[in-house]
Amino acid sequence: MAVIQLPEYIYTGMDSIGRVFDNNYKNILLLTDTEVEKSSSVVSAFFQKAQKHSARAEHIACNDPAELFSLIQEKLVDETPEIVVALGDGKIIDCAMAVSSMSGIPYCAVPQVAPTALWESDNVEAHLSRKIPSVCILDPDMIVGSHSAKIAYEGLGMLSLCTESFLLAGDRYVKAVAETAFGRIYENLFDAFRGEISARENLLEGMYWAYISFVNSHDFSWESPCYRLCEFFRPFGIDGLSLLAVSCVQIIKSICNKNADSLQQLAQRLDITPQKELSGLLLVEKIRQLRAKMSVPSCIKNIGADEEKFLLLSDELSEEDKQMFFDCYYSDYFNSKLEEQVFRGS
């Protein structure tokens, strides 16, 4: 029997931040990063709604998730809010998830771009089984003012997650969610990168469904190749979605080596090419081109991960991970004649 985690409520559309107050919460802890107020009016709208509903809202703004986690723990010693609202960067939402897992306080996620940064607190094992928020609010005002580079990296990172989910999930409902998320991200990412508002709104929704598919794809985090890659490179100080963005082609190629039929199925649904036998490889090539058009590097080495440290730590890798991690670190050159055929036909 499969159990699928979903938020109790998902609200979309402009000014949806006010739906936080549908359950008459009177004591709310609001978490944000320090940048979201500069790029969005949602924070000020939240406080206006709180005042209208006679709700008390404590606000903590911090960019460092470890520091934020400590500040929240100090706050909870004196008072327990009815709900934690995480508004902004994926690290903020991940932090709220950790607090909710530890304390049992429900949380609401209001993502700016991606709904996760794959961040973990060393003190909270609850991240091994990710907790879905009680409420998710996808307000397009959050993403409209976001920097294009952030959209590029986080969009490609979430594309990696939902492709993995589609290829590896054992549940057909989860695969259907992942497929829908992939199509929404793939079809809107470049237009969103260029600033088209409707594409950014569609992308925001697609990335959330990508996260839903990822959370429901694995019983434990370490079953995910994407998770293992991010965990391995955590000591390098590079955020998880950036790792997945620069490695997206390598990750998809590696996973699809044992799931070629599924990748072909995904490509056929997107009408990549009528030639089924080439469709999976052509989809990978189109993702490579998308990454290049947005000026995202093609390997982890090119975003500053120290090579000597990588080679030292790589001795501890399993054989299962070693080939993919080396490809992700160095690059993803195509060598086979079949792939060269795809080049000529693309």
Side-chain angles (χ1 to χ4, degrees):
M1 180 181 69
V3 178
I4 299 176
Q5 294 188 72
L6 292 170
E8 188 174 358
Y9 299 102
I10 300 176
Y11 299 111
T12 64
M14 297 297 290
D15 201 34
S16 51
I17 190 65
R19 305 305 296 269
V20 171
F21 302 94
D22 282 5
N23 288 327
N24 295 315
Y25 294 119
K26 298 300 181 184
N27 187 3
I28 300 171
L29 179 59
L30 176 67
L31 311 178
T32 71
D33 55 60
T34 60
E35 300 299 318
V36 70
E37 289 183 84
K38 300 176 184 177
S39 60
S40 167
S41 62
V42 176
V43 176
S44 59
F46 174 85
F47 282 109
Q48 291 172 7
K49 301 289 185 182
Q51 186 175 19
K52 180 180 178 181
H53 287 83
S54 302
R56 179 171 174 266
E58 291 284 331
H59 182 201
I60 302 177
C62 183
N63 291 332
D64 179 70
E67 182 182 348
L68 177 62
F69 189 77
S70 297
L71 291 172
I72 297 167
Q73 286 182 304
E74 293 174 10
K75 178 71 68 175
L76 295 183
V77 171
D78 300 321
E79 189 173 10
T80 302
E82 296 171 84
I83 189 170
V84 175
V85 177
L87 193 157
D89 190 84
K91 295 189 295 294
I92 305 300
I93 296 174
D94 287 344
C95 190
M97 178 188 66
V99 170
S100 180
S101 298
M102 177 188 71
S103 66
I105 301 168
Y107 80 103
C108 168
V110 191
Q112 182 180 26
V113 182
T116 181
L118 300 176
W119 175 81
E120 291 192 0
S121 165
D122 294 336
N123 300 317
V124 182
E125 295 181 0
H127 278 90
L128 294 177
S129 178
R130 292 183 172 271
K131 182 178 180 180
I132 293 294
S134 300
V135 179
C136 175
I137 294 175
L138 303 175
D139 191 321
D141 190 38
M142 291 290 290
I143 194 173
V144 164
S146 297
H147 194 280
S148 289
K150 183 177 181 67
I151 286 175
Y153 279 85
E154 297 194 4
L156 286 173
M158 296 308 296
L159 190 70
S160 298
L161 288 183
C162 70
T163 308
E164 176 192 288
S165 301
F166 179 80
L167 296 175
L168 299 184
D171 183 272
R172 61 192 178 99
Y173 296 105
V174 176
K175 289 180 78 73
V177 170
E179 181 182 0
T180 299
F182 183 95
R184 186 65 63 93
I185 296 172
Y186 177 80
E187 292 167 356
N188 288 280
L189 181 52
F190 188 64
D191 287 338
F193 171 77
R194 295 192 300 177
E196 185 177 306
I197 293 175
S198 61
R200 290 191 171 199
E201 183 174 0
N202 291 334
L203 182 66
L204 183 67
E205 294 177 8
M207 285 193 288
Y208 193 75
W209 288 111
Y211 181 60
I212 291 291
S213 68
F214 176 67
V215 169
N216 286 286
S217 295
H218 311 283
D219 291 332
F220 301 99
S221 297
W222 57 77
E223 295 173 346
S224 158
C226 286
Y227 175 88
R228 293 199 302 275
L229 180 74
C230 293
E231 183 66 18
F232 175 82
F233 280 99
R234 199 173 304 280
F236 291 77
I238 302 171
D239 71 272
L241 291 182
S242 292
L243 289 166
L244 299 185
V246 300
S247 308
C248 59
V249 173
Q250 298 93 307
I251 290 169
I252 293 169
K253 283 185 63 184
S254 175
I255 296 171
C256 80
N257 283 340
K258 298 179 181 179
N259 300 272
D261 290 343
S262 291
L263 189 67
Q264 288 177 357
Q265 177 188 343
L266 185 60
Q268 291 284 292
R269 296 282 180 89
L270 293 170
D271 198 26
I272 296 297
T273 175
Q275 297 176 276
K276 182 179 179 180
E277 66 277 5
L278 295 180
S279 59
L281 289 173
L282 185 55
L283 175 58
V284 173
E285 172 60 16
K286 286 185 175 293
I287 294 170
R288 180 202 302 277
Q289 293 171 358
L290 176 63
R291 181 178 64 183
K293 284 196 297 185
M294 296 188 296
S295 300
V296 175
S298 62
C299 63
I300 295 172
K301 182 179 180 181
N302 288 347
I303 56 174
D306 181 75
E307 184 174 17
E308 184 177 349
K309 184 175 182 179
F310 167 70
L311 292 173
L312 180 64
L313 294 177
S314 65
D315 289 339
E316 302 174 8
L317 288 172
S318 67
E319 290 302 317
E320 179 184 1
D321 288 334
K322 185 167 288 189
Q323 183 62 56
M324 186 182 82
F325 286 17
F326 268 77
D327 287 346
C328 290
Y329 184 80
Y330 285 108
S331 196
D332 61 321
Y333 295 111
F334 280 3
N335 295 311
S336 75
K337 292 182 180 180
L338 182 59
E339 289 168 331
E340 291 174 3
Q341 182 179 353
V342 172
F343 281 157
R344 291 195 296 269
S346 63

